Amino acid sequence: MNTEPTLTLGDPRLDRDHAQLQRLAQHLSQTRNRQEVLAALDALTQHCAAHFATEDQDLRLMQGNDDAVCHIDEHAAVLKSLAEVKDWVSENEDVVGVANLVQSLCAELQRWLPEHVHYMDSAVAAYRGKNRFGGVPIAFAPRSPA
């Protein structure tokens, strides 16, 4: 039985971006040497920065959304964490330390992403759907047996 929140919200761009973010985090977790880690961090950071910028723009346009500031702040915190990890990896040659830090970052991203998508990005998907279709589309997902 799968009890994890889905990354699928019914918005093709969000769904694609979230799947790519998950793939990039998974790739980062599998890197072994410092140069690969730095390249994977760059790719993940670039993807997150572009994705978050698009979402942040929508969040600023959403009237009456009290959670928008918190949502934007979460994006900024993720980018700050990625930059801090990159800086540390760039300055340290401790192979075990780099591996431990990268694994910790990836575990946290894998924990954070489904919660963020389910609780925060769903509002962005609803906003986009309402703008595209004049109402919020209904998304169906299979239920786990009780």
Side-chain angles (χ1 to χ4, degrees):
M1 173 169 57
N2 184 6
T3 58
E4 290 185 27
T6 181
L7 295 182
T8 305
L9 297 172
D11 180 278
R13 184 170 183 184
L14 280 175
D15 294 344
R16 226 179 6 259
D17 282 356
H18 293 146
Q20 179 66 3
L21 194 156
Q22 195 169 43
R23 280 190 296 275
L24 289 167
Q26 180 66 32
H27 173 69
L28 175 61
S29 75
Q30 296 169 348
T31 57
R32 296 294 169 245
N33 70 55
R34 218 162 124 243
Q35 292 310 316
E36 288 176 351
V37 168
L38 291 170
L41 276 167
D42 282 342
L44 179 59
T45 300
Q46 288 173 11
H47 176 76
C48 285
H51 172 68
F52 294 162
T54 301
E55 267 191 34
D56 291 356
Q57 183 179 12
D58 286 341
L59 288 163
R60 288 183 185 95
L61 294 172
M62 294 168 63
Q63 299 294 328
N65 183 348
D66 295 334
D67 296 328
V69 172
C70 179
H71 194 157
I72 291 168
D73 287 348
E74 270 198 23
H75 292 163
V78 170
L79 292 173
K80 181 178 183 218
S81 294
L82 291 171
E84 288 173 349
V85 168
K86 182 180 179 189
D87 288 346
W88 194 90
V89 170
S90 295
E91 296 169 5
N92 289 277
E93 295 191 26
D94 173 12
V95 175
V96 174
V98 167
N100 289 339
L101 181 60
V102 166
Q103 291 309 308
S104 178
L105 172 69
C106 292
E108 185 57 24
L109 285 171
Q110 294 293 352
R111 182 207 60 76
W112 169 81
L113 183 59
E115 291 178 7
H116 180 82
V117 168
H118 179 72
Y119 293 109
M120 301 201 121
D121 288 350
S122 58
V124 175
Y127 171 78
R128 289 179 180 180
K130 186 175 180 185
N131 284 341
R132 266 195 327 265
F133 305 118
V136 178
I138 298 172
F140 293 96
R143 287 191 82 130
S144 300

